[in-house]
Amino acid sequence: MTATISPARAADVPCQLYAAAPNRLADLAVKAACAEVAAGTMYTWGGGHGARPGKTYGYFDGQDEASRHDDTVLGFDCSGFVRYVWSQAVGYDIVGSGATGNEVKVLTAPTAKNTVIYGPGGLEPGDIVFFGDKHWYGNSIEHVALSLGGDRIAEAAQSGTPLHARVLNADKFVMAIRINTDTVGQPGPDPGASGAAHSTWGTWIRLGEQPVHGSRVVAVLPGPTQVKVNCQRRSDSITAEGTTNDWWSYLPEYQGWITNIYLQGPAVLPDIPECGTGRDLSGLSGTPGGGQFSTWGSDVNVRGGATTAANLVATISAPTAVRITCQAHGGVVDAEGYVNDVWSYLPDYHGWVSNIYIQGPGVLPVPECASGGTVPAAAATCTDGTEPTGSDARTPSGRSVELEGRLIELRYSDSTECGWGRISHGGTGDHIWVDRSSDGGAHWEPQLGHTTITDGQDVHTVQWRDSGVVMRACGSVAGRPDVVCTSWF
């Protein structure tokens, strides 16, 4: 967790490969690191050491005044950063939640069979580089970073600064560890595998050894990828990206399973048979009923009528959870390998989207719009930062999570189209807030209505407009760095 070890940080350099990546996993680790640098992610003391790899809020280290307010900063410290980027490359946590010294112990264990490098020359992209002070009685490990190749590193350095890339400090170099891909590797795609061609969407999509939540990860797809699918089956129900689906597809190239949520097309692929039976599934709808769905693709047009000739009223830049009140036949659209004349009405956008760009079957399980093209009137939304007013408040399915006995919920009112956060069974000093995103969760307004329990066990935030956006509730326990959030709604 140590902050910077040099009195002045060297000038930043572009975060990129400075030598050829030795393997696919190292390349993915560097890409994950540079994505965080590009996003402006901040250093925060203790950040990234939650139960699972990922950004967390930090805390005051007890000495460095620069970290005094790190409990309000979401990000990584040095070892949390390295833990995260390699988990993104491999698909699981190869380090654990401990700090820098723990990383050395884990990565140099005999079973890991990793290579230890004792000189700064010849570093390859993806190498995990440790810095510290050298003494006659031994070396101290105080900092860790990721090699970009040559003498460049990406790092989380100190409180108050963003993640960055720079030239390494050779005087402080202690050792580096090169990850053995044989012990953590994943199979690459098998070009000889057979199956129907489909495309995934989303980033850092994990493929499991079995079609169940939490199965061992066998591969990670860093971005939209064309894959082969040879069968699909029902198994664990997964909720993600505003969609719930219990159908999974087998990808023989990777010898792994993917939830159909991340395959472009309807929830049950019409050209793929059922695994083990060969049954034709083209007539099935794998999408549950209800009005909450998700778009897929980028720059999806929302129009003032159910035709491509209608005026453009909005553009949905990335996959986004949306509400649909009804659907109607309209202009024929031929796109993404599908032809469909059914359009869905999105009340939060006051417009129509071709069903081709809505995850689910070609005709969704929602009512038909009334004749004459009339649509339901939009609900009256609330004012940001006010007390919750919806008498029909509910906790949407899958929008609650537990943390050390606390229940953290996103509350939502259909009548006001507003949401707020609530924490129950907590204690003094526990925190609750909501995040709000206009691009499906890629970026968000953080910690809206941040509220702390000062008395009792339960507290809620003020309400925030949830029309045309997605929201989630997040919380933490007093004095602990771990942060948990519900899924987006």
Side-chain angles (χ1 to χ4, degrees):
M1 299 181 186
T2 310
T4 186
I5 58 172
S6 53
R9 196 179 89 203
D12 290 356
V13 299
C15 191
Q16 62 188 41
L17 287 168
Y18 287 90
N23 53 66
R24 186 170 62 93
L25 297 182
D27 181 57
L28 289 174
V30 170
K31 287 180 178 177
C34 291
E36 293 300 317
V37 171
T41 299
M42 296 295 291
Y43 177 99
T44 187
W45 179 269
H49 295 282
R52 289 178 290 184
K55 291 189 283 283
T56 63
Y57 288 92
Y59 52 92
F60 178 44
D61 74 348
Q63 296 178 330
D64 182 9
E65 283 299 315
S67 70
R68 175 68 68 177
H69 302 294
D70 277 4
D71 61 340
T72 66
V73 179
L74 184 67
F76 298 104
D77 67 14
C78 64
S79 50
F81 176 50
V82 170
R83 175 197 185 198
Y84 170 75
V85 300
W86 264 101
S87 75
Q88 291 296 290
V90 174
Y92 63 95
D93 188 5
I94 66 172
V95 175
S97 60
T100 310
N102 181 71
E103 286 188 330
V104 174
K105 183 181 298 184
V106 170
L107 295 174
T108 58
T111 54
K113 301 179 182 178
N114 296 320
T115 301
V116 181
I117 304 162
Y118 291 105
L123 291 175
E124 294 181 348
D127 289 348
I128 299 175
V129 188
F130 295 88
F131 302 89
D133 286 321
K134 302 174 183 178
H135 310 281
W136 64 269
Y137 52 81
N139 301 325
S140 62
I141 300 294
E142 300 175 356
H143 185 55
V144 61
L146 186 81
S147 172
L148 303 176
D151 60 353
R152 265 62 168 183
I153 58 173
E155 66 175 358
Q158 60 184 10
S159 296
T161 65
L163 277 53
H164 60 270
R166 68 171 176 88
V167 176
L168 65 81
N169 184 343
D171 291 338
K172 294 287 188 176
F173 178 91
V174 174
M175 62 185 291
I177 296 174
R178 182 165 299 156
I179 301 299
N180 180 357
T181 57
D182 290 337
T183 61
V184 299
Q186 310 157 0
D190 175 9
S194 61
H198 283 266
S199 291
T200 68
W201 66 273
T203 58
W204 305 110
I205 304 305
R206 291 162 172 76
L207 308 184
E209 186 176 45
Q210 300 294 332
V212 294
H213 177 71
S215 176
R216 186 178 74 86
V217 174
V218 297
V220 178
L221 305 181
T225 304
Q226 184 164 320
V227 295
K228 296 175 182 177
V229 180
N230 65 9
C231 70
Q232 58 189 334
R233 58 166 288 191
R234 268 186 155 149
S235 187
D236 273 8
S237 180
I238 300 295
T239 297
E241 314 295 343
T243 300
T244 298
N245 199 346
D246 62 355
W247 283 90
W248 296 68
S249 287
Y250 184 71
L251 279 50
E253 297 168 285
Y254 298 89
Q255 300 180 37
W257 296 83
I258 184 173
T259 168
N260 280 17
I261 290 173
Y262 290 107
L263 285 170
Q264 293 183 19
V268 180
L269 303 177
D271 59 338
I272 303 298
E274 185 175 22
C275 298
T277 69
R279 182 164 64 104
D280 180 4
L281 302 173
S282 58
L284 288 184
S285 164
T287 301
Q292 195 76 21
F293 294 86
S294 180
T295 65
W296 65 270
S298 58
D299 298 327
V300 173
N301 291 328
V302 183
R303 297 191 176 275
T307 171
T308 55
N311 61 302
L312 183 67
V313 298
T315 299
I316 302 176
S317 61
T320 302
V322 294
R323 289 194 311 123
I324 295 174
T325 53
C326 61
Q327 59 191 338
H329 289 282
V332 176
V333 179
D334 184 348
E336 314 293 344
Y338 297 92
V339 178
N340 200 341
D341 70 345
V342 181
W343 293 68
S344 288
Y345 184 73
L346 279 54
D348 298 325
Y349 295 85
H350 306 294
W352 300 79
V353 166
S354 166
N355 276 20
I356 289 175
Y357 293 101
I358 302 294
Q359 291 185 34
V363 179
L364 300 172
V366 299
E368 184 177 359
C369 295
S371 60
T374 58
V375 296
T381 60
C382 67
T383 300
D384 280 354
T386 60
E387 276 296 308
T389 54
S391 60
D392 59 344
R394 63 187 176 92
T395 300
S397 176
R399 272 65 182 189
S400 64
V401 63
E402 291 189 9
L403 175 63
E404 295 191 12
R406 281 79 166 167
L407 180 64
I408 294 166
E409 301 170 273
L410 178 68
R411 302 286 288 169
Y412 179 77
S413 166
D414 291 286
S415 61
T416 65
E417 295 185 349
C418 289
W420 57 95
R422 181 172 73 183
I423 184 170
S424 306
H425 313 300
T428 301
D430 291 354
H431 303 275
I432 182 71
W433 64 90
V434 294
D435 296 333
R436 181 167 62 180
S437 171
S438 60
D439 58 7
H443 308 86
W444 57 84
E445 303 169 77
Q447 296 199 41
L448 300 179
H450 188 287
T451 304
T452 303
I453 295 179
T454 58
D455 183 44
Q457 296 181 310
D458 312 304
V459 75
H460 66 265
T461 72
V462 291
Q463 65 183 353
W464 300 85
R465 181 182 55 81
D466 193 23
S467 176
V469 297
V470 292
M471 291 176 61
R472 67 181 182 184
C474 301
S476 63
V477 175
R480 296 291 303 275
D482 304 49
V483 171
V484 298
C485 297
T486 69
S487 54
W488 293 102
F489 178 78

